[in-house]
Structure formats: structure tokens, C-alpha cells
Amino acid sequence: MGENPRVRYSLVHGAVPPWMDLAIAAQEAGQPSLPMSEPAPPLTSAPRTRARPLPRRPASHRKPRRRIGWTAACHVLAATSGALAHHFIQLLV
């Protein structure tokens, strides 16, 4: 296992980083690991106003838009031509 550089590093330097050893020791001693600072002021929300509407973006830049009209028209044309071809072939037979 010493051949793996990650395992070798953890065996030499320990499983946890040095700052974590200090934090664990401070926690066991009852001291805070970080100094206490002043509490942050409460956040206030500013009213949101838009100067102008944003332009419409496509849903995804890689996905093309769906062409439902052309697809439906092609299916109707194929079904109609198939039905007409069937009737014309029956007349010839």
C-alpha cells in the first residue's frame, strides 16, 4: 500500500489535516475553535424593480425547438397518401 502516493502521504502526514487536530483539541478543552465576532446585521430586502423586460431565451442552448406543426403535417400527409394509394391499387387489381 505504500506504493500508492495518496496512501503514502496519509501515512506520513496523518489522516486529518493539522488544523483539524487544533480544532478538535480546542473543542475538547471547551474553547471555541474560532474567535467570536460581532453578529452580522440583519439583511433587509430592497424592492426589486425592472427597467425593461428581459429578452426571451431558449430553454436550452443545445436543444432545438420542437416543430410540432411540421411533424403533424407530415404525419397527416403520409396517412392520407397511404389511404389514397390503397384505394387506387384496389381499383387496378
Side-chain angles (χ1 to χ4, degrees), residues 68-81:
I68 296 174
W70 282 107
T71 305
C74 289
H75 279 85
V76 168
L77 181 64
T80 305
S81 62

Side-chain angles (χ1 to χ4, degrees), residues 23-75:
I24 292 172
Q27 189 177 23
E28 289 174 354
Q31 300 170 355
S33 58
L34 297 175
M36 295 297 289
S37 62
E38 297 178 8
L43 297 175
T44 58
S45 61
R48 294 184 181 200
T49 59
R50 283 192 181 169
R52 56 190 165 98
L54 298 175
R56 183 176 179 270
R57 291 182 0 198
S60 174
H61 71 282
R62 291 187 181 264
K63 183 175 67 172
R65 291 188 182 183
R66 298 180 74 184
R67 298 180 305 185
I68 296 174
W70 282 107
T71 305
C74 289
H75 279 85

